[in-house]
Amino acid sequence: MTSSMRSLNWKFSQVFGERHPGEKVEEIDIISAVEFESRGDYLATGDHGGRVVLFERTNGKDYQLRSRKELEHTDSSVTSHPLYSYKTEFQSHEIEFDYLKSLEIGEKINKLRWCASSNNSLFILSTNDRTIKLWKVSDHKVKKIIEMDSNAYISSENALLSEKSFLTDQSIQSVPNGYHLEWITKRPKSTFPTYKESPKMMFKFGECASSRCRRVYSHAHDYNINSISINSDCETFLSADDLRINMWNLEVGNQCFNIIDLKPLDMEDLVEVITSAEFHPAYCNLLAYSSSRGFIRLVDMRQSALCDQNARILQDREAHGSRSFFTEIAASISDIKFAKDGRHILTRDYMNLKLWDLHMESSPIVSFKIHEFLRPKLSELYNGDFIFDKFDCCLSRDGCHFATGTYSNTFKVFCHDGGHTDGTRLEASKNPNRVSHTQECQKNAGLLTIFARGLHWRGHENSRFDSSDCDLDSKLIHLAWHPTTNLIACATKCSLYMYHAESEHF
C-alpha cells in the first residue's frame, strides 16, 4: 500500500434510472446490490424485485489489447474514464414459500459476485435470503429488419405491431409519438409473401444477450444469507448467514461443506452473529468474517475442518467512551473488504470506517468517523430502526482511498494519509456538492441543535426524522469501486450514479 499524499477531484460521470423529484419509487425497483466485474468491463446491479441488470463498458474495454499503432491514432479527446451502457437484465429470483417453516422468502437480491470466465460468456452468482444461483449470460447474433419494401406485407403478429404496419399517409392525424392510429386496410389479393419473397427487405446482424441459470445452490441455510465470496482458486465460493459459513464447489449444487458454525446448543447462549465474510484475494485457504460484536476473525482452513475455534481476532481494544446497549449495536460490522495487497481489511460499522493491518490485532491503523454527530441520539435512532442500517464500504485498487455511504443520499471518500478530517462528502446527483470538513461540522452542529429542541416524527412515532440537514430516509447504502481506475458506482433507491476522479498531487 503506497503512502503518496494525494486527494481526488470527483466529477459526475453517468446516471441510470434517475427519477424526478417527488416521483414515486416502487419497493421492487430499489437497488440492493452493486458489483463490478474483475476487469471493470461489466457492472451488475440487483434489486428488491429479484432482477439483475447488467451494464457493459462502451469505451476502452479493449484498451490493453490494442496495439501501439492503434493507440497512437486514438482521439485524445475521447473520454478516458469508463462509460457504460445497458446490456441486459433477467429475473434471478422469485418469491418462494417454505412450507415446513411457514415462511415466505422474498425475491430481493442480497449479494452479487462475478465468476471468472475463460470464454466470451459471463458468469455471475446471485443470492436472496436462502437460495444462490449461478447465471450464464451469452451474446448471440440475431438478424434484424432495417428496411423493406412498402408494398410488401408480412403476416406475422409482430409485424402488425411494428411501425411499418401503420399508415404513412400524412393526411391521417398522428399521436404525439409519431405513430398513426389507424391500421392498414388495403390487402393484396394474393397470398402474403414470406421473408424470402421480399426482394427489397434488408437485414442487419446485431448481438443479443441471453441468460440461463446454470446451477442452483439451495437448502443449506436456515438463516438469511448475508455474504457470498468467490475463492481465488476460481473453483469454490462461500456463503454466510447469521450463524454458519458454508463452502461450495461451483460445479456441485446439491452439497456443501460447513466450515464455521456459531450456533450454540442453547440459543439463549448466543452472544454474536456473523455479519459479513470474504475470501482472501490471493490465498485460497484464508478467509475473514466479521461479527455483530465488532470483531474480525481471520481463519486458515488448513488448520481444522471446522474453523470457528482456530482464528486470529482483530479487535479495537482502544475504543474509548462509555459503552451501552446502543453502542454495542452500533459496533456491529456491516461490511468487510480485503485490499488488493491482501494485508489490509476495510470494515464499516454504523459509526466508523476502519482500516486494519492483519499484522496488528489490537487496533485499526486508521479510523474515519462517519456518524459521530449522531452518537448523542443513538436511542432515538434505535427507536426508528435506523441504527440497524447496514452500509457497504469499498476501496481503490492502490488501497489509498476508501468510500462508504451515509444519509441524505451522500457518500464519503477518505484518503489514507488524510487522517480524520480528509473526508470528501458528495451528494448522489448530477451536480454533486462537495462539502468541506468545516461546512460539514456546521451542518452537524445544526442537526444537534434540532436534536436538542426535540425530535419531530412524521407518519408514526417510529418513522422518520424531520430534518433538512440529515434525511435519514434517503440513505446511500450500496456502492462499489472500479477495480482498475478511480470510478465509484453508487445506488440510491432505484437510481445508479457513477463518479470518476483525477488525482491532485500536493
Side-chain angles (χ1 to χ4, degrees), residues 33 35 51 55 58-60 125 227 242 257 332 344 398 429 437 491:
E35 186 75 10
R51 293 162 298 191
F55 300 89
T58 57
N59 68 323
L125 282 173
S227 302
D242 291 343
F257 186 75
S332 174
H344 297 83
D398 61 7
S429 67
H437 177 68

Side-chain angles (χ1 to χ4, degrees), residues 287-291 293-298 311-316 333 335-336 338 345-347 354 356 358 361:
L287 66 91
Y289 68 95
S290 59
S291 78
R293 296 174 64 190
F295 299 163
I296 305 102
R297 290 177 171 85
L298 184 69
R312 290 179 54 198
I313 299 178
L314 281 66
Q315 178 185 2
D316 190 357
I333 297 175
D335 191 25
I336 63 174
F338 269 103
I345 293 181
L346 185 68
T347 66
K354 299 178 181 180
W356 299 78
L358 297 184
E361 302 178 2

Side-chain angles (χ1 to χ4, degrees), residues 420-478:
H420 293 41
T421 62
D422 196 48
T424 300
R425 179 181 175 185
L426 296 163
E427 181 184 5
S429 67
K430 289 184 178 180
N431 299 306
N433 297 320
R434 180 168 177 168
V435 182
S436 66
H437 177 68
T438 302
Q439 292 172 328
E440 188 172 348
C441 289
Q442 293 174 350
K443 280 193 173 184
N444 296 342
L447 178 60
L448 291 178
T449 303
I450 294 175
F451 280 146
R453 294 199 305 263
L455 298 172
H456 174 69
W457 302 87
R458 294 175 292 179
H460 55 85
E461 62 178 0
N462 289 334
S463 178
R464 296 174 288 183
F465 287 109
D466 185 12
S467 170
S468 58
D469 291 324
C470 185
D471 185 359
L472 298 181
D473 286 318
S474 300
K475 58 193 75 172
L476 195 156
I477 292 181
H478 307 289

Side-chain angles (χ1 to χ4, degrees), residues 257-274:
F257 186 75
N258 178 236
I259 56 177
I260 291 175
D261 189 352
L262 299 185
K263 186 176 181 178
L265 296 177
D266 187 351
M267 289 297 289
E268 293 184 358
D269 297 331
L270 182 67
V271 295
E272 63 179 341
V273 296
I274 300 169

Side-chain angles (χ1 to χ4, degrees), residues 80-100:
S80 59
H81 65 273
L83 295 175
Y84 292 84
S85 64
Y86 170 87
K87 180 177 178 64
T88 187
E89 66 180 85
F90 55 89
Q91 186 71 33
S92 176
H93 288 75
E94 304 280 356
I95 295 179
E96 307 171 25
F97 191 81
D98 189 336
Y99 291 94
L100 295 178

Side-chain angles (χ1 to χ4, degrees), residues 298-472:
L298 184 69
V299 300
D300 188 342
M301 294 186 293
R302 297 173 301 182
Q303 294 182 355
S304 173
L306 197 61
C307 306
D308 52 328
Q309 298 297 327
N310 299 287
R312 290 179 54 198
I313 299 178
L314 281 66
Q315 178 185 2
D316 190 357
R317 297 182 177 88
E318 297 180 359
H320 56 277
S322 59
R323 304 183 68 86
S324 65
F325 170 74
F326 304 113
T327 58
E328 293 287 342
I329 296 176
S332 174
I333 297 175
S334 59
D335 191 25
I336 63 174
K337 290 288 190 306
F338 269 103
K340 295 297 181 181
D341 60 11
R343 178 172 173 173
H344 297 83
I345 293 181
L346 185 68
T347 66
R348 170 68 202 269
D349 57 47
Y350 187 77
M351 304 299 295
N352 304 294
L353 184 70
K354 299 178 181 180
L355 182 67
W356 299 78
D357 188 328
L358 297 184
H359 296 173
M360 297 174 57
E361 302 178 2
S362 60
S363 64
I365 57 177
V366 63
S367 179
F368 305 100
K369 300 184 183 301
I370 310 297
H371 293 152
E372 191 64 25
F373 63 96
L374 293 176
R375 188 176 293 276
K377 293 300 176 182
L378 290 179
S379 60
E380 286 84 349
L381 294 168
Y382 174 81
N383 292 332
D385 287 339
F386 299 109
I387 199 172
F388 299 104
D389 290 336
K390 300 182 182 300
F391 295 91
D392 291 348
C393 62
C394 59
L395 67 168
S396 60
R397 181 176 180 83
D398 61 7
C400 293
H401 299 89
F402 325 101
T404 188
T406 180
Y407 295 111
S408 301
N409 284 338
T410 59
F411 65 99
K412 292 185 176 182
V413 183
F414 298 91
C415 178
H416 177 255
D417 300 316
H420 293 41
T421 62
D422 196 48
T424 300
R425 179 181 175 185
L426 296 163
E427 181 184 5
S429 67
K430 289 184 178 180
N431 299 306
N433 297 320
R434 180 168 177 168
V435 182
S436 66
H437 177 68
T438 302
Q439 292 172 328
E440 188 172 348
C441 289
Q442 293 174 350
K443 280 193 173 184
N444 296 342
L447 178 60
L448 291 178
T449 303
I450 294 175
F451 280 146
R453 294 199 305 263
L455 298 172
H456 174 69
W457 302 87
R458 294 175 292 179
H460 55 85
E461 62 178 0
N462 289 334
S463 178
R464 296 174 288 183
F465 287 109
D466 185 12
S467 170
S468 58
D469 291 324
C470 185
D471 185 359
L472 298 181

